Amino acid sequence: FANVGASAFQADSTITINPTTHTLGLPNLNGIYYVNQWCTTPGTLDDTCFSNAIANVVAHGPVGSSSRKMGELVVSPGVYTFNNTVTVPLGINISIQGAAQDSLWGSVIMAGSSHPNLFTVLADSVTIQNLTFLGDVGEDAIVLGSSTHALYDTHINWCWFNSFSKGIHVVNGGGLDLSHNT
């Protein structure tokens, strides 16, 4: 870390080294959030990993244009079980980037037994890429906008949707790029 200045780390960042695997634990660096480091219960990949990372972007993320907080969520390979809907609120710009979009390998978002919609996106200019979504027909994977708020300039690309009521449910939005999804 000799070439990384102290200002690169968020005030609430903790760097740890796992003594068993010798891997580096780094929750965020320069607005990049490693989702698996934000889980309420360490090692349990679930919706809290995303909601906690997004809450930290809202509170501490770098500020972009129009004073919007910004962040990139990196989703490491694994199966993340959602029993609650994760909301991307107004006023932030984030990218949620998975490891691969290739069936059951890579970064997988799976509906839990409570059958929630997995993501509700209310913010403009959100990018979701390279994720596999697994449901059981009782939920929507991604809901864009709400009846009271339209969103714009959102990109959902290279994702794989299996067994949902709707993979991408556009409630209210425009200028969307929803391409190369299966």
PDB file of all heavy atoms in Angstrom, residues 22-64:
ATOM      1  N   HIS A  22      -5.550 -15.994   3.584  1.00  0.00           N
ATOM      2  CA  HIS A  22      -4.576 -14.956   3.241  1.00  0.00           C
ATOM      3  C   HIS A  22      -5.125 -13.981   2.206  1.00  0.00           C
ATOM      4  O   HIS A  22      -4.386 -13.434   1.400  1.00  0.00           O
ATOM      5  CB  HIS A  22      -3.253 -15.568   2.750  1.00  0.00           C
ATOM      6  CG  HIS A  22      -2.658 -16.510   3.737  1.00  0.00           C
ATOM      7  ND1 HIS A  22      -2.083 -16.087   4.904  1.00  0.00           N
ATOM      8  CD2 HIS A  22      -2.592 -17.862   3.741  1.00  0.00           C
ATOM      9  CE1 HIS A  22      -1.672 -17.137   5.600  1.00  0.00           C
ATOM     10  NE2 HIS A  22      -1.970 -18.230   4.919  1.00  0.00           N
ATOM     11  N   THR A  23      -6.458 -13.774   2.224  1.00  0.00           N
ATOM     12  CA  THR A  23      -7.069 -12.811   1.316  1.00  0.00           C
ATOM     13  C   THR A  23      -7.260 -11.490   2.034  1.00  0.00           C
ATOM     14  O   THR A  23      -7.404 -11.432   3.252  1.00  0.00           O
ATOM     15  CB  THR A  23      -8.427 -13.317   0.791  1.00  0.00           C
ATOM     16  OG1 THR A  23      -9.273 -13.606   1.904  1.00  0.00           O
ATOM     17  CG2 THR A  23      -8.258 -14.550  -0.082  1.00  0.00           C
ATOM     18  N   LEU A  24      -7.272 -10.448   1.269  1.00  0.00           N
ATOM     19  CA  LEU A  24      -7.407  -9.098   1.775  1.00  0.00           C
ATOM     20  C   LEU A  24      -8.877  -8.736   1.902  1.00  0.00           C
ATOM     21  O   LEU A  24      -9.650  -8.934   0.964  1.00  0.00           O
ATOM     22  CB  LEU A  24      -6.711  -8.132   0.817  1.00  0.00           C
ATOM     23  CG  LEU A  24      -6.628  -6.674   1.192  1.00  0.00           C
ATOM     24  CD1 LEU A  24      -5.775  -6.508   2.441  1.00  0.00           C
ATOM     25  CD2 LEU A  24      -6.014  -5.901   0.040  1.00  0.00           C
ATOM     26  N   GLY A  25      -9.299  -8.235   3.037  1.00  0.00           N
ATOM     27  CA  GLY A  25     -10.655  -7.740   3.223  1.00  0.00           C
ATOM     28  C   GLY A  25     -10.640  -6.223   3.134  1.00  0.00           C
ATOM     29  O   GLY A  25     -10.009  -5.552   3.932  1.00  0.00           O
ATOM     30  N   LEU A  26     -11.296  -5.687   2.129  1.00  0.00           N
ATOM     31  CA  LEU A  26     -11.309  -4.247   1.901  1.00  0.00           C
ATOM     32  C   LEU A  26     -12.720  -3.856   1.488  1.00  0.00           C
ATOM     33  O   LEU A  26     -13.116  -4.109   0.350  1.00  0.00           O
ATOM     34  CB  LEU A  26     -10.310  -3.887   0.801  1.00  0.00           C
ATOM     35  CG  LEU A  26     -10.190  -2.421   0.428  1.00  0.00           C
ATOM     36  CD1 LEU A  26      -9.635  -1.614   1.592  1.00  0.00           C
ATOM     37  CD2 LEU A  26      -9.291  -2.268  -0.786  1.00  0.00           C
ATOM     38  N   PRO A  27     -13.522  -3.283   2.391  1.00  0.00           N
ATOM     39  CA  PRO A  27     -14.911  -2.982   2.067  1.00  0.00           C
ATOM     40  C   PRO A  27     -15.076  -1.986   0.921  1.00  0.00           C
ATOM     41  O   PRO A  27     -15.958  -2.134   0.110  1.00  0.00           O
ATOM     42  CB  PRO A  27     -15.477  -2.412   3.357  1.00  0.00           C
ATOM     43  CG  PRO A  27     -14.536  -2.825   4.431  1.00  0.00           C
ATOM     44  CD  PRO A  27     -13.199  -2.971   3.766  1.00  0.00           C
ATOM     45  N   ASN A  28     -14.250  -0.948   0.866  1.00  0.00           N
ATOM     46  CA  ASN A  28     -14.368   0.020  -0.222  1.00  0.00           C
ATOM     47  C   ASN A  28     -13.066   0.796  -0.390  1.00  0.00           C
ATOM     48  O   ASN A  28     -12.277   0.953   0.535  1.00  0.00           O
ATOM     49  CB  ASN A  28     -15.525   0.988   0.015  1.00  0.00           C
ATOM     50  CG  ASN A  28     -15.400   1.760   1.304  1.00  0.00           C
ATOM     51  OD1 ASN A  28     -14.562   1.467   2.144  1.00  0.00           O
ATOM     52  ND2 ASN A  28     -16.235   2.754   1.475  1.00  0.00           N
ATOM     53  N   LEU A  29     -12.855   1.228  -1.610  1.00  0.00           N
ATOM     54  CA  LEU A  29     -11.671   2.003  -1.947  1.00  0.00           C
ATOM     55  C   LEU A  29     -12.042   2.906  -3.109  1.00  0.00           C
ATOM     56  O   LEU A  29     -12.487   2.421  -4.158  1.00  0.00           O
ATOM     57  CB  LEU A  29     -10.519   1.070  -2.336  1.00  0.00           C
ATOM     58  CG  LEU A  29      -9.234   1.723  -2.840  1.00  0.00           C
ATOM     59  CD1 LEU A  29      -8.591   2.558  -1.735  1.00  0.00           C
ATOM     60  CD2 LEU A  29      -8.261   0.657  -3.334  1.00  0.00           C
ATOM     61  N   ASN A  30     -11.923   4.212  -2.925  1.00  0.00           N
ATOM     62  CA  ASN A  30     -12.207   5.182  -3.983  1.00  0.00           C
ATOM     63  C   ASN A  30     -13.579   4.992  -4.615  1.00  0.00           C
ATOM     64  O   ASN A  30     -13.732   5.064  -5.827  1.00  0.00           O
ATOM     65  CB  ASN A  30     -11.130   5.131  -5.061  1.00  0.00           C
ATOM     66  CG  ASN A  30      -9.800   5.633  -4.567  1.00  0.00           C
ATOM     67  OD1 ASN A  30      -9.737   6.516  -3.708  1.00  0.00           O
ATOM     68  ND2 ASN A  30      -8.726   5.073  -5.089  1.00  0.00           N
ATOM     69  N   GLY A  31     -14.591   4.722  -3.808  1.00  0.00           N
ATOM     70  CA  GLY A  31     -15.944   4.576  -4.333  1.00  0.00           C
ATOM     71  C   GLY A  31     -16.256   3.212  -4.908  1.00  0.00           C
ATOM     72  O   GLY A  31     -17.324   3.010  -5.470  1.00  0.00           O
ATOM     73  N   ILE A  32     -15.344   2.255  -4.779  1.00  0.00           N
ATOM     74  CA  ILE A  32     -15.599   0.884  -5.210  1.00  0.00           C
ATOM     75  C   ILE A  32     -15.909   0.071  -3.963  1.00  0.00           C
ATOM     76  O   ILE A  32     -15.108   0.011  -3.031  1.00  0.00           O
ATOM     77  CB  ILE A  32     -14.393   0.296  -5.973  1.00  0.00           C
ATOM     78  CG1 ILE A  32     -14.119   1.126  -7.221  1.00  0.00           C
ATOM     79  CG2 ILE A  32     -14.650  -1.164  -6.328  1.00  0.00           C
ATOM     80  CD1 ILE A  32     -12.855   0.732  -7.956  1.00  0.00           C
ATOM     81  N   TYR A  33     -17.082  -0.532  -3.942  1.00  0.00           N
ATOM     82  CA  TYR A  33     -17.572  -1.279  -2.787  1.00  0.00           C
ATOM     83  C   TYR A  33     -17.618  -2.757  -3.128  1.00  0.00           C
ATOM     84  O   TYR A  33     -18.287  -3.151  -4.081  1.00  0.00           O
ATOM     85  CB  TYR A  33     -18.976  -0.799  -2.400  1.00  0.00           C
ATOM     86  CG  TYR A  33     -18.994   0.610  -1.871  1.00  0.00           C
ATOM     87  CD1 TYR A  33     -18.856   1.705  -2.719  1.00  0.00           C
ATOM     88  CD2 TYR A  33     -19.137   0.845  -0.517  1.00  0.00           C
ATOM     89  CE1 TYR A  33     -18.864   2.999  -2.226  1.00  0.00           C
ATOM     90  CE2 TYR A  33     -19.148   2.129  -0.015  1.00  0.00           C
ATOM     91  CZ  TYR A  33     -19.004   3.203  -0.873  1.00  0.00           C
ATOM     92  OH  TYR A  33     -19.004   4.489  -0.383  1.00  0.00           O
ATOM     93  N   TYR A  34     -16.934  -3.575  -2.374  1.00  0.00           N
ATOM     94  CA  TYR A  34     -16.959  -5.016  -2.565  1.00  0.00           C
ATOM     95  C   TYR A  34     -18.123  -5.555  -1.743  1.00  0.00           C
ATOM     96  O   TYR A  34     -18.051  -5.626  -0.515  1.00  0.00           O
ATOM     97  CB  TYR A  34     -15.616  -5.624  -2.162  1.00  0.00           C
ATOM     98  CG  TYR A  34     -14.522  -5.081  -3.044  1.00  0.00           C
ATOM     99  CD1 TYR A  34     -13.804  -3.953  -2.684  1.00  0.00           C
ATOM    100  CD2 TYR A  34     -14.261  -5.668  -4.276  1.00  0.00           C
ATOM    101  CE1 TYR A  34     -12.828  -3.423  -3.521  1.00  0.00           C
ATOM    102  CE2 TYR A  34     -13.287  -5.146  -5.123  1.00  0.00           C
ATOM    103  CZ  TYR A  34     -12.580  -4.024  -4.733  1.00  0.00           C
ATOM    104  OH  TYR A  34     -11.633  -3.495  -5.563  1.00  0.00           O
ATOM    105  N   VAL A  35     -19.206  -5.915  -2.432  1.00  0.00           N
ATOM    106  CA  VAL A  35     -20.471  -6.234  -1.789  1.00  0.00           C
ATOM    107  C   VAL A  35     -20.327  -7.319  -0.723  1.00  0.00           C
ATOM    108  O   VAL A  35     -20.928  -7.222   0.352  1.00  0.00           O
ATOM    109  CB  VAL A  35     -21.519  -6.634  -2.861  1.00  0.00           C
ATOM    110  CG1 VAL A  35     -22.792  -7.150  -2.224  1.00  0.00           C
ATOM    111  CG2 VAL A  35     -21.828  -5.449  -3.750  1.00  0.00           C
ATOM    112  N   ASN A  36     -19.533  -8.349  -0.978  1.00  0.00           N
ATOM    113  CA  ASN A  36     -19.415  -9.448  -0.011  1.00  0.00           C
ATOM    114  C   ASN A  36     -18.742  -9.021   1.294  1.00  0.00           C
ATOM    115  O   ASN A  36     -18.737  -9.778   2.263  1.00  0.00           O
ATOM    116  CB  ASN A  36     -18.701 -10.651  -0.618  1.00  0.00           C
ATOM    117  CG  ASN A  36     -17.266 -10.369  -1.002  1.00  0.00           C
ATOM    118  OD1 ASN A  36     -16.789  -9.228  -0.926  1.00  0.00           O
ATOM    119  ND2 ASN A  36     -16.571 -11.396  -1.430  1.00  0.00           N
ATOM    120  N   GLN A  37     -18.208  -7.823   1.353  1.00  0.00           N
ATOM    121  CA  GLN A  37     -17.597  -7.299   2.572  1.00  0.00           C
ATOM    122  C   GLN A  37     -18.582  -6.478   3.410  1.00  0.00           C
ATOM    123  O   GLN A  37     -18.219  -5.976   4.472  1.00  0.00           O
ATOM    124  CB  GLN A  37     -16.388  -6.419   2.222  1.00  0.00           C
ATOM    125  CG  GLN A  37     -15.316  -7.128   1.423  1.00  0.00           C
ATOM    126  CD  GLN A  37     -14.626  -8.199   2.230  1.00  0.00           C
ATOM    127  OE1 GLN A  37     -14.124  -7.942   3.314  1.00  0.00           O
ATOM    128  NE2 GLN A  37     -14.626  -9.415   1.722  1.00  0.00           N
ATOM    129  N   TRP A  38     -19.829  -6.319   2.938  1.00  0.00           N
ATOM    130  CA  TRP A  38     -20.809  -5.468   3.603  1.00  0.00           C
ATOM    131  C   TRP A  38     -21.971  -6.244   4.198  1.00  0.00           C
ATOM    132  O   TRP A  38     -22.967  -5.659   4.629  1.00  0.00           O
ATOM    133  CB  TRP A  38     -21.329  -4.418   2.612  1.00  0.00           C
ATOM    134  CG  TRP A  38     -20.291  -3.395   2.323  1.00  0.00           C
ATOM    135  CD1 TRP A  38     -19.360  -3.424   1.327  1.00  0.00           C
ATOM    136  CD2 TRP A  38     -20.023  -2.222   3.069  1.00  0.00           C
ATOM    137  NE1 TRP A  38     -18.545  -2.324   1.400  1.00  0.00           N
ATOM    138  CE2 TRP A  38     -18.933  -1.562   2.474  1.00  0.00           C
ATOM    139  CE3 TRP A  38     -20.603  -1.649   4.200  1.00  0.00           C
ATOM    140  CZ2 TRP A  38     -18.415  -0.375   2.963  1.00  0.00           C
ATOM    141  CZ3 TRP A  38     -20.085  -0.458   4.679  1.00  0.00           C
ATOM    142  CH2 TRP A  38     -19.010   0.165   4.060  1.00  0.00           C
ATOM    143  N   CYS A  39     -21.886  -7.552   4.262  1.00  0.00           N
ATOM    144  CA  CYS A  39     -22.970  -8.390   4.768  1.00  0.00           C
ATOM    145  C   CYS A  39     -23.151  -8.184   6.276  1.00  0.00           C
ATOM    146  O   CYS A  39     -22.171  -8.061   7.006  1.00  0.00           O
ATOM    147  CB  CYS A  39     -22.684  -9.858   4.472  1.00  0.00           C
ATOM    148  SG  CYS A  39     -22.290 -10.165   2.729  1.00  0.00           S
ATOM    149  N   THR A  40     -24.390  -8.155   6.737  1.00  0.00           N
ATOM    150  CA  THR A  40     -24.664  -8.002   8.162  1.00  0.00           C
ATOM    151  C   THR A  40     -24.022  -9.128   8.956  1.00  0.00           C
ATOM    152  O   THR A  40     -23.410  -8.895   9.995  1.00  0.00           O
ATOM    153  CB  THR A  40     -26.179  -7.939   8.424  1.00  0.00           C
ATOM    154  OG1 THR A  40     -26.698  -6.777   7.750  1.00  0.00           O
ATOM    155  CG2 THR A  40     -26.495  -7.845   9.901  1.00  0.00           C
ATOM    156  N   THR A  41     -24.141 -10.351   8.452  1.00  0.00           N
ATOM    157  CA  THR A  41     -23.474 -11.498   9.056  1.00  0.00           C
ATOM    158  C   THR A  41     -22.318 -11.875   8.139  1.00  0.00           C
ATOM    159  O   THR A  41     -22.550 -12.354   7.026  1.00  0.00           O
ATOM    160  CB  THR A  41     -24.441 -12.696   9.210  1.00  0.00           C
ATOM    161  OG1 THR A  41     -25.566 -12.282   9.980  1.00  0.00           O
ATOM    162  CG2 THR A  41     -23.752 -13.879   9.871  1.00  0.00           C
ATOM    163  N   PRO A  42     -21.066 -11.627   8.557  1.00  0.00           N
ATOM    164  CA  PRO A  42     -19.931 -11.934   7.686  1.00  0.00           C
ATOM    165  C   PRO A  42     -19.974 -13.373   7.163  1.00  0.00           C
ATOM    166  O   PRO A  42     -20.239 -14.310   7.912  1.00  0.00           O
ATOM    167  CB  PRO A  42     -18.715 -11.706   8.587  1.00  0.00           C
ATOM    168  CG  PRO A  42     -19.196 -10.708   9.601  1.00  0.00           C
ATOM    169  CD  PRO A  42     -20.641 -11.075   9.848  1.00  0.00           C
ATOM    170  N   GLY A  43     -19.793 -13.507   5.861  1.00  0.00           N
ATOM    171  CA  GLY A  43     -19.797 -14.821   5.234  1.00  0.00           C
ATOM    172  C   GLY A  43     -21.165 -15.287   4.768  1.00  0.00           C
ATOM    173  O   GLY A  43     -21.267 -16.265   4.041  1.00  0.00           O
ATOM    174  N   THR A  44     -22.231 -14.592   5.176  1.00  0.00           N
ATOM    175  CA  THR A  44     -23.581 -14.939   4.731  1.00  0.00           C
ATOM    176  C   THR A  44     -23.954 -13.996   3.598  1.00  0.00           C
ATOM    177  O   THR A  44     -24.223 -12.818   3.829  1.00  0.00           O
ATOM    178  CB  THR A  44     -24.607 -14.825   5.882  1.00  0.00           C
ATOM    179  OG1 THR A  44     -24.226 -15.724   6.920  1.00  0.00           O
ATOM    180  CG2 THR A  44     -26.010 -15.162   5.403  1.00  0.00           C
ATOM    181  N   LEU A  45     -23.947 -14.512   2.376  1.00  0.00           N
ATOM    182  CA  LEU A  45     -24.229 -13.693   1.202  1.00  0.00           C
ATOM    183  C   LEU A  45     -25.742 -13.552   1.049  1.00  0.00           C
ATOM    184  O   LEU A  45     -26.436 -14.523   0.739  1.00  0.00           O
ATOM    185  CB  LEU A  45     -23.611 -14.335  -0.042  1.00  0.00           C
ATOM    186  CG  LEU A  45     -22.101 -14.554   0.008  1.00  0.00           C
ATOM    187  CD1 LEU A  45     -21.619 -15.254  -1.260  1.00  0.00           C
ATOM    188  CD2 LEU A  45     -21.367 -13.239   0.220  1.00  0.00           C
ATOM    189  N   ASP A  46     -26.240 -12.333   1.286  1.00  0.00           N
ATOM    190  CA  ASP A  46     -27.677 -12.092   1.204  1.00  0.00           C
ATOM    191  C   ASP A  46     -27.949 -10.646   0.806  1.00  0.00           C
ATOM    192  O   ASP A  46     -27.030  -9.905   0.440  1.00  0.00           O
ATOM    193  CB  ASP A  46     -28.366 -12.463   2.519  1.00  0.00           C
ATOM    194  CG  ASP A  46     -27.881 -11.665   3.721  1.00  0.00           C
ATOM    195  OD1 ASP A  46     -27.162 -10.649   3.548  1.00  0.00           O
ATOM    196  OD2 ASP A  46     -28.217 -12.053   4.856  1.00  0.00           O
ATOM    197  N   ASP A  47     -29.217 -10.249   0.888  1.00  0.00           N
ATOM    198  CA  ASP A  47     -29.611  -8.900   0.489  1.00  0.00           C
ATOM    199  C   ASP A  47     -28.959  -7.826   1.345  1.00  0.00           C
ATOM    200  O   ASP A  47     -28.744  -6.707   0.884  1.00  0.00           O
ATOM    201  CB  ASP A  47     -31.135  -8.756   0.524  1.00  0.00           C
ATOM    202  CG  ASP A  47     -31.745  -9.187   1.843  1.00  0.00           C
ATOM    203  OD1 ASP A  47     -31.869  -8.349   2.752  1.00  0.00           O
ATOM    204  OD2 ASP A  47     -32.095 -10.373   1.962  1.00  0.00           O
ATOM    205  N   THR A  48     -28.592  -8.138   2.592  1.00  0.00           N
ATOM    206  CA  THR A  48     -27.977  -7.127   3.454  1.00  0.00           C
ATOM    207  C   THR A  48     -26.634  -6.663   2.912  1.00  0.00           C
ATOM    208  O   THR A  48     -26.234  -5.521   3.157  1.00  0.00           O
ATOM    209  CB  THR A  48     -27.797  -7.625   4.900  1.00  0.00           C
ATOM    210  OG1 THR A  48     -26.822  -8.679   4.942  1.00  0.00           O
ATOM    211  CG2 THR A  48     -29.117  -8.091   5.503  1.00  0.00           C
ATOM    212  N   CYS A  49     -25.949  -7.526   2.190  1.00  0.00           N
ATOM    213  CA  CYS A  49     -24.655  -7.145   1.603  1.00  0.00           C
ATOM    214  C   CYS A  49     -24.852  -5.945   0.673  1.00  0.00           C
ATOM    215  O   CYS A  49     -24.061  -4.999   0.687  1.00  0.00           O
ATOM    216  CB  CYS A  49     -24.046  -8.308   0.826  1.00  0.00           C
ATOM    217  SG  CYS A  49     -23.968  -9.873   1.718  1.00  0.00           S
ATOM    218  N   PHE A  50     -25.923  -5.970  -0.114  1.00  0.00           N
ATOM    219  CA  PHE A  50     -26.220  -4.893  -1.059  1.00  0.00           C
ATOM    220  C   PHE A  50     -26.796  -3.677  -0.346  1.00  0.00           C
ATOM    221  O   PHE A  50     -26.362  -2.551  -0.596  1.00  0.00           O
ATOM    222  CB  PHE A  50     -27.209  -5.387  -2.126  1.00  0.00           C
ATOM    223  CG  PHE A  50     -26.620  -6.368  -3.078  1.00  0.00           C
ATOM    224  CD1 PHE A  50     -26.545  -7.711  -2.747  1.00  0.00           C
ATOM    225  CD2 PHE A  50     -26.125  -5.960  -4.302  1.00  0.00           C
ATOM    226  CE1 PHE A  50     -25.994  -8.633  -3.622  1.00  0.00           C
ATOM    227  CE2 PHE A  50     -25.573  -6.874  -5.180  1.00  0.00           C
ATOM    228  CZ  PHE A  50     -25.506  -8.210  -4.845  1.00  0.00           C
ATOM    229  N   SER A  51     -27.780  -3.894   0.533  1.00  0.00           N
ATOM    230  CA  SER A  51     -28.417  -2.749   1.187  1.00  0.00           C
ATOM    231  C   SER A  51     -27.435  -1.994   2.076  1.00  0.00           C
ATOM    232  O   SER A  51     -27.457  -0.760   2.129  1.00  0.00           O
ATOM    233  CB  SER A  51     -29.666  -3.171   1.964  1.00  0.00           C
ATOM    234  OG  SER A  51     -29.367  -4.166   2.912  1.00  0.00           O
ATOM    235  N   ASN A  52     -26.524  -2.691   2.743  1.00  0.00           N
ATOM    236  CA  ASN A  52     -25.520  -2.016   3.575  1.00  0.00           C
ATOM    237  C   ASN A  52     -24.528  -1.238   2.723  1.00  0.00           C
ATOM    238  O   ASN A  52     -24.143  -0.113   3.076  1.00  0.00           O
ATOM    239  CB  ASN A  52     -24.778  -3.026   4.446  1.00  0.00           C
ATOM    240  CG  ASN A  52     -25.653  -3.630   5.520  1.00  0.00           C
ATOM    241  OD1 ASN A  52     -26.687  -3.088   5.884  1.00  0.00           O
ATOM    242  ND2 ASN A  52     -25.255  -4.793   6.019  1.00  0.00           N
ATOM    243  N   ALA A  53     -24.089  -1.811   1.609  1.00  0.00           N
ATOM    244  CA  ALA A  53     -23.159  -1.103   0.718  1.00  0.00           C
ATOM    245  C   ALA A  53     -23.823   0.138   0.126  1.00  0.00           C
ATOM    246  O   ALA A  53     -23.225   1.220   0.083  1.00  0.00           O
ATOM    247  CB  ALA A  53     -22.658  -2.030  -0.384  1.00  0.00           C
ATOM    248  N   ILE A  54     -25.075   0.008  -0.305  1.00  0.00           N
ATOM    249  CA  ILE A  54     -25.793   1.160  -0.871  1.00  0.00           C
ATOM    250  C   ILE A  54     -25.993   2.237   0.188  1.00  0.00           C
ATOM    251  O   ILE A  54     -25.815   3.430  -0.095  1.00  0.00           O
ATOM    252  CB  ILE A  54     -27.132   0.702  -1.489  1.00  0.00           C
ATOM    253  CG1 ILE A  54     -26.852  -0.126  -2.750  1.00  0.00           C
ATOM    254  CG2 ILE A  54     -28.029   1.896  -1.805  1.00  0.00           C
ATOM    255  CD1 ILE A  54     -28.063  -0.852  -3.312  1.00  0.00           C
ATOM    256  N   ALA A  55     -26.324   1.849   1.415  1.00  0.00           N
ATOM    257  CA  ALA A  55     -26.479   2.838   2.497  1.00  0.00           C
ATOM    258  C   ALA A  55     -25.173   3.586   2.733  1.00  0.00           C
ATOM    259  O   ALA A  55     -25.177   4.793   3.011  1.00  0.00           O
ATOM    260  CB  ALA A  55     -26.948   2.150   3.776  1.00  0.00           C
ATOM    261  N   ASN A  56     -24.037   2.892   2.610  1.00  0.00           N
ATOM    262  CA  ASN A  56     -22.752   3.559   2.797  1.00  0.00           C
ATOM    263  C   ASN A  56     -22.442   4.507   1.642  1.00  0.00           C
ATOM    264  O   ASN A  56     -21.857   5.567   1.849  1.00  0.00           O
ATOM    265  CB  ASN A  56     -21.630   2.539   2.990  1.00  0.00           C
ATOM    266  CG  ASN A  56     -20.405   3.190   3.584  1.00  0.00           C
ATOM    267  OD1 ASN A  56     -19.579   3.734   2.855  1.00  0.00           O
ATOM    268  ND2 ASN A  56     -20.289   3.145   4.900  1.00  0.00           N
ATOM    269  N   VAL A  57     -22.839   4.144   0.424  1.00  0.00           N
ATOM    270  CA  VAL A  57     -22.683   5.064  -0.707  1.00  0.00           C
ATOM    271  C   VAL A  57     -23.485   6.331  -0.431  1.00  0.00           C
ATOM    272  O   VAL A  57     -22.990   7.444  -0.614  1.00  0.00           O
ATOM    273  CB  VAL A  57     -23.134   4.420  -2.042  1.00  0.00           C
ATOM    274  CG1 VAL A  57     -23.195   5.453  -3.154  1.00  0.00           C
ATOM    275  CG2 VAL A  57     -22.210   3.274  -2.430  1.00  0.00           C
ATOM    276  N   VAL A  58     -24.728   6.172   0.029  1.00  0.00           N
ATOM    277  CA  VAL A  58     -25.582   7.324   0.333  1.00  0.00           C
ATOM    278  C   VAL A  58     -24.928   8.205   1.392  1.00  0.00           C
ATOM    279  O   VAL A  58     -24.913   9.433   1.286  1.00  0.00           O
ATOM    280  CB  VAL A  58     -26.989   6.861   0.794  1.00  0.00           C
ATOM    281  CG1 VAL A  58     -27.800   8.021   1.355  1.00  0.00           C
ATOM    282  CG2 VAL A  58     -27.727   6.188  -0.352  1.00  0.00           C
ATOM    283  N   ALA A  59     -24.351   7.611   2.414  1.00  0.00           N
ATOM    284  CA  ALA A  59     -23.768   8.369   3.529  1.00  0.00           C
ATOM    285  C   ALA A  59     -22.368   8.895   3.244  1.00  0.00           C
ATOM    286  O   ALA A  59     -22.027  10.005   3.652  1.00  0.00           O
ATOM    287  CB  ALA A  59     -23.741   7.491   4.782  1.00  0.00           C
ATOM    288  N   HIS A  60     -21.531   8.101   2.550  1.00  0.00           N
ATOM    289  CA  HIS A  60     -20.115   8.445   2.456  1.00  0.00           C
ATOM    290  C   HIS A  60     -19.523   8.386   1.054  1.00  0.00           C
ATOM    291  O   HIS A  60     -18.312   8.585   0.905  1.00  0.00           O
ATOM    292  CB  HIS A  60     -19.287   7.493   3.338  1.00  0.00           C
ATOM    293  CG  HIS A  60     -19.711   7.463   4.762  1.00  0.00           C
ATOM    294  ND1 HIS A  60     -19.492   8.501   5.631  1.00  0.00           N
ATOM    295  CD2 HIS A  60     -20.370   6.511   5.474  1.00  0.00           C
ATOM    296  CE1 HIS A  60     -19.989   8.191   6.814  1.00  0.00           C
ATOM    297  NE2 HIS A  60     -20.523   6.993   6.747  1.00  0.00           N
ATOM    298  N   GLY A  61     -20.318   8.075   0.045  1.00  0.00           N
ATOM    299  CA  GLY A  61     -19.780   7.913  -1.302  1.00  0.00           C
ATOM    300  C   GLY A  61     -19.209   9.199  -1.860  1.00  0.00           C
ATOM    301  O   GLY A  61     -19.574  10.293  -1.431  1.00  0.00           O
ATOM    302  N   PRO A  62     -18.299   9.077  -2.834  1.00  0.00           N
ATOM    303  CA  PRO A  62     -17.766  10.267  -3.487  1.00  0.00           C
ATOM    304  C   PRO A  62     -18.907  11.054  -4.146  1.00  0.00           C
ATOM    305  O   PRO A  62     -19.893  10.470  -4.588  1.00  0.00           O
ATOM    306  CB  PRO A  62     -16.813   9.707  -4.550  1.00  0.00           C
ATOM    307  CG  PRO A  62     -16.595   8.285  -4.200  1.00  0.00           C
ATOM    308  CD  PRO A  62     -17.754   7.837  -3.388  1.00  0.00           C
ATOM    309  N   VAL A  63     -18.756  12.360  -4.207  1.00  0.00           N
ATOM    310  CA  VAL A  63     -19.793  13.216  -4.777  1.00  0.00           C
ATOM    311  C   VAL A  63     -19.472  13.481  -6.242  1.00  0.00           C
ATOM    312  O   VAL A  63     -18.368  13.889  -6.593  1.00  0.00           O
ATOM    313  CB  VAL A  63     -19.901  14.543  -3.994  1.00  0.00           C
ATOM    314  CG1 VAL A  63     -20.935  15.463  -4.624  1.00  0.00           C
ATOM    315  CG2 VAL A  63     -20.247  14.262  -2.540  1.00  0.00           C
ATOM    316  N   GLY A  64     -20.473  13.235  -7.094  1.00  0.00           N
ATOM    317  CA  GLY A  64     -20.334  13.477  -8.521  1.00  0.00           C
ATOM    318  C   GLY A  64     -21.108  14.721  -8.918  1.00  0.00           C
ATOM    319  O   GLY A  64     -21.384  15.596  -8.090  1.00  0.00           O
TER     320      GLY A  64
END
